Amino acid sequence: MATVNLSDYKSLNITNADEYNIGIVFSEWNDFITFNLRDATLEILEKEGVKKENIKLFSVPGAFELNFATMQLCKQGTFDAVIAIGCVIRGETPHFDFICDAVAQGIKDCNVFTEVPAIFCVLTDNTKEQSIARSGGNLGNKGVEAAVTALKMIDFKRKLNQKPTHIGFGT
């Protein structure tokens, strides 16, 4: 059982976050969880300086559809990062395993096949209580972690694309 509060983080103090464009795709299935994740993500992005008008929200019916929507947004090239938000709660059939595997692989594919960081914010819990604990309950909110991850990955990519400012040894 997780014991870390997912909402604990240190401010990133990003100087140019107001330039970032971020897409958020969230599942309507288990909306009592996904809407909390979405709202926490929005709150942190705005708190860190991302302009509200630079954050675009897209809803999809369920977790499985996150793959298509996230890939389409990544392929557009208009977003610096795309955050995929969903929640799958184990039931009595293997459906849980198939959906979780497919979504994890789909979001991974967005990272492998596009130049845009795709952030996995999909809860895959055994019980509704576990999902509640991770979406604003006693363990914090995984949406906070997703927002921080998106900002860090945008920063990582931008640093990779910068030209070196110094010349190496021997030159």
Side-chain angles (χ1 to χ4, degrees):
M1 176 85 181
T3 58
V4 175
N5 187 317
L6 302 168
S7 299
D8 290 340
Y9 85 101
K10 293 179 184 160
S11 181
L12 301 175
N13 298 313
I14 298 171
T15 57
N16 59 344
D18 61 329
E19 300 171 3
Y20 293 1
N21 291 301
I22 299 176
I24 299 174
V25 182
F26 62 95
S27 168
E28 296 169 349
W29 191 260
N30 290 323
D31 62 359
F32 66 101
I33 299 296
T34 60
F35 288 15
N36 288 341
L37 296 169
R38 176 201 63 200
D39 294 347
T41 302
L42 285 167
E43 180 182 335
I44 296 303
L45 292 175
E46 291 176 26
K47 181 178 177 181
E48 289 294 332
V50 180
K51 292 180 182 175
K52 194 172 197 168
E53 61 267 20
N54 291 354
I55 304 168
K56 303 297 184 219
L57 299 172
F58 304 88
S59 66
V60 295
F64 191 79
E65 292 76 25
L66 290 169
N67 293 336
F68 177 80
T70 302
M71 181 64 84
Q72 295 306 306
L73 294 178
C74 286
K75 286 176 16 180
Q76 266 187 358
T78 57
F79 296 103
D80 296 303
V82 178
I83 301 170
I85 297 173
C87 175
V88 185
I89 301 171
R90 187 176 298 279
E92 296 176 0
T93 69
H95 181 75
F96 173 88
D97 298 311
F98 298 130
I99 297 298
C100 292
D101 281 347
V103 175
Q105 291 301 316
I107 302 305
K108 181 266 304 172
D109 286 348
C110 294
N111 282 300
V112 171
F113 297 117
T114 75
E115 296 294 318
V116 176
I119 311 306
F120 186 84
C121 182
V122 180
L123 299 183
T124 57
D125 295 313
N126 290 319
T127 67
K128 180 170 80 170
E129 292 73 28
Q130 288 175 336
S131 293
I132 291 169
R134 290 165 176 80
S135 63
N138 65 320
L139 293 178
N141 194 308
K142 185 79 171 166
V144 170
E145 186 179 328
V148 169
T149 301
L151 294 170
K152 287 183 174 184
M153 291 306 296
I154 294 167
D155 187 55
F156 172 81
K157 184 178 176 193
R158 288 188 176 203
K159 285 178 180 172
L160 277 180
N161 292 332
Q162 289 177 353
K163 294 187 182 215
T165 57
H166 67 281
I167 299 175
F169 294 110
T171 55

